[in-house]
Amino acid sequence: MSAIEQTEAARPRGTRLPRRARRNQLLGAAQEVFVAQGYHSAAMDDIAERAGVSKPVLYQHFPGKLELYLALLDQHCESLLQSVRTALASTSDNKLRVAATMDAYFAYVEDEGGAFRLVFESDLTNEPAVRERVDRVSLQCAEAISDVIAEDTGLAKDESMLLAVGLGGVSQVVARYWLSSESPVPRDKAVALLTSLAWRGIAGFPLHAVDGLLAAEGH
């Protein structure tokens, strides 16, 4: 059950929940409010009302709006990182691995909760704690991709990171454009197009290992 689903299930006032369930419920309510209103326009009153709890209950779990936002950001940064790592580990077929990684970004931005907006489109990026988390997850995703590239090609770490940052950046930017433009191109077709574009470039690097990201059929 997602955090938002838990919010819906637990919304009536007076419902007693275990601490972890209550925390998840509050995070679900906060996500709805922050995505809809942005950080600066959202109020703790709005979040408490959305969750169906009193403000004192909300403050028992989160001492302030920033702490609540950061907890939510931590949750969804970790979700993105795990999705990328899962995609990279999902197959040993190189082209399919690129496609799976790209699709992980599309799936992330397409999630109906809109959590990607907190990570990629936050109105609080001037806050150091927010900026640090956003930069860190982008770096961690790139490092996961870079490790595979370096292992398969023998490229230096810095060179592999440049390629990995490029792949991750292209994936999230195109995925966000695809969603915001309400493109008529289906998700699977969009992923296939982007994979084809990326593969034409990255498949040209010499192989260092047989079973890696850059091994291509026919090489």
Side-chain angles (χ1 to χ4, degrees):
M1 180 181 291
S2 70
I4 288 180
E5 288 171 336
Q6 290 184 44
T7 302
E8 294 294 337
R11 185 157 287 149
R13 291 184 182 274
T15 303
R16 295 183 64 84
L17 293 175
R19 184 171 181 83
R20 181 179 294 274
R22 177 66 77 191
R23 178 183 171 86
N24 287 338
Q25 178 223 357
L26 296 174
L27 287 170
Q31 179 177 328
E32 294 177 0
V33 173
F34 285 135
V35 168
Q37 301 181 22
Y39 177 84
H40 294 292
S41 296
M44 293 292 270
D45 284 328
D46 300 328
I47 296 168
E49 181 177 356
R50 183 66 177 161
V53 302
S54 64
K55 277 182 67 177
V57 169
L58 180 57
Y59 280 110
Q60 285 174 9
H61 292 264
F62 302 100
K65 186 168 71 167
L66 178 60
E67 289 78 10
L68 177 52
Y69 189 88
L70 292 176
L72 196 57
L73 191 60
D74 284 338
Q75 181 184 80
H76 292 296
C77 284
E78 179 63 22
S79 176
L80 173 60
L81 179 59
Q82 290 306 315
S83 293
V84 170
R85 286 174 171 168
T86 298
L88 289 167
S90 65
T91 177
S92 60
D93 182 293
N94 310 299
K95 188 172 183 180
L96 291 180
R97 189 179 284 171
V98 173
T101 304
M102 301 246 173
D103 189 59
Y105 283 92
F106 275 77
Y108 187 73
V109 304
E110 195 181 27
D111 183 83
E112 66 180 12
F116 80 94
R117 300 189 187 282
L118 306 178
V119 179
F120 295 132
E121 299 177 0
S122 174
D123 62 345
L124 196 61
T125 52
N126 61 332
E127 166 60 45
V130 172
R131 184 73 263 162
E132 187 274 332
R133 283 163 169 80
V134 172
D135 289 345
R136 182 175 63 202
V137 73
S138 296
L139 180 63
Q140 288 174 325
C141 288
E143 286 174 340
I145 298 170
S146 174
D147 287 344
V148 179
I149 293 175
E151 179 182 351
D152 296 339
T153 64
L155 288 173
K157 181 178 180 180
D158 289 345
E159 295 172 331
S160 298
M161 271 298 291
L162 283 174
L163 292 175
V165 169
L167 285 174
V170 166
S171 299
Q172 65 99 347
V173 169
V174 173
R176 287 165 50 208
Y177 167 78
W178 170 79
L179 185 71
S180 65
S181 66
E182 298 181 349
S183 172
V185 179
R187 176 174 137 193
D188 59 347
K189 179 64 172 178
V191 170
L193 287 169
L194 189 57
T195 298
S196 179
L197 175 65
W199 186 248
R200 287 177 182 273
I202 200 165
F205 286 89
L207 296 177
H208 179 70
V210 175
D211 297 320
L213 174 66
L214 303 179
E217 293 183 4
H219 279 55

